[in-house]
Amino acid sequence: MREPYRRRRIDSPPRWTRFKPAGIPRRRLAQTILSVDEYEAIRLADHLGLEHLEASRLMGISRPTFTRVVEKARHKVAKSLVEGRELIISGGNFSLVRTLFRCRDCGDVTPGHSESKPAACPECESDDLEDLARRVRPNDARPTGETKK
Ligand SMILES: [Zn+2]
């Protein structure tokens, strides 16, 4: 039975959304798009080393779905590394639990919520803070094959 459509829960936006091989102009590179939910699956399973069951619960999806997502994500990362592609983290089916504010002056990153942006960086007191949630947008479309009832 198909799971009911719902957005996958992501803890916070990725700090970096573009990676490329050094020294090669972007126009000469093929691109791979890693969705934000695929990024989160790699972060939970491979960076934090969580079991798939625990990671799937954090994202609000079933364990088999998590396993499919993380396998697809690993394939994309491997393809980018081996073939020297530009890797862009963008789109996907997700909602953010919180955001991160990055200071454009010192680079410090502070968790928070978009509705209550801090007035200043806790590290250097600069007011030039970027809301990283604004760099990633979920796709509006429902997954392929999903129909409204
Ligand atoms: Zn700062």
Side-chain angles (χ1 to χ4, degrees):
M1 205 169 88
R2 197 193 299 278
E3 287 180 73
Y5 178 75
R6 58 175 177 265
R7 297 230 178 251
R8 295 166 179 170
R9 195 164 53 238
I10 308 302
D11 178 72
S12 50
R15 294 188 191 192
W16 298 277
T17 54
R18 300 182 86 101
F19 300 85
K20 68 182 271 298
I24 301 176
R26 177 167 287 135
R27 67 177 185 279
R28 289 179 43 198
L29 296 173
Q31 294 182 334
T32 296
I33 307 294
L34 189 71
S35 67
V36 175
D37 43 314
E38 288 167 346
Y39 158 84
E40 181 74 344
I42 287 210
R43 188 183 74 84
L44 295 173
D46 300 326
H47 184 71
L48 297 182
L50 300 184
E51 300 289 343
H52 287 193
L53 182 62
E54 185 180 3
S56 70
R57 286 177 177 157
L58 290 173
M59 288 182 70
I61 58 181
S62 71
R63 199 221 27 91
T65 298
F66 181 85
T67 297
R68 278 199 308 277
V69 172
V70 77
E71 283 173 358
K72 191 172 172 193
R74 285 171 177 161
H75 177 72
K76 287 182 177 181
V77 171
K79 190 174 168 75
S80 300
L81 290 178
V82 173
E83 298 179 13
R85 300 167 70 95
E86 182 179 21
L87 183 69
I88 297 169
I89 303 174
S90 175
N93 164 25
F94 69 95
S95 62
L96 297 170
V97 173
R98 59 184 185 158
T99 190
L100 299 171
F101 295 101
R102 177 160 53 207
C103 175
R104 287 195 179 95
D105 287 319
C106 77
D108 190 62
V109 172
T110 311
H113 296 278
S114 294
E115 315 77 56
S116 52
K117 187 176 175 177
C121 170
E123 230 4 76
C124 73
E125 299 184 1
S126 164
D127 63 359
D128 193 3
L129 301 178
E130 178 186 11
D131 181 352
L132 295 185
R134 300 179 72 88
R135 291 182 156 214
V136 288
R137 299 250 182 250
N139 298 338
D140 290 331
R142 285 166 173 260
T144 310
E146 194 78 16
T147 51
K148 279 186 186 170
K149 292 226 170 75

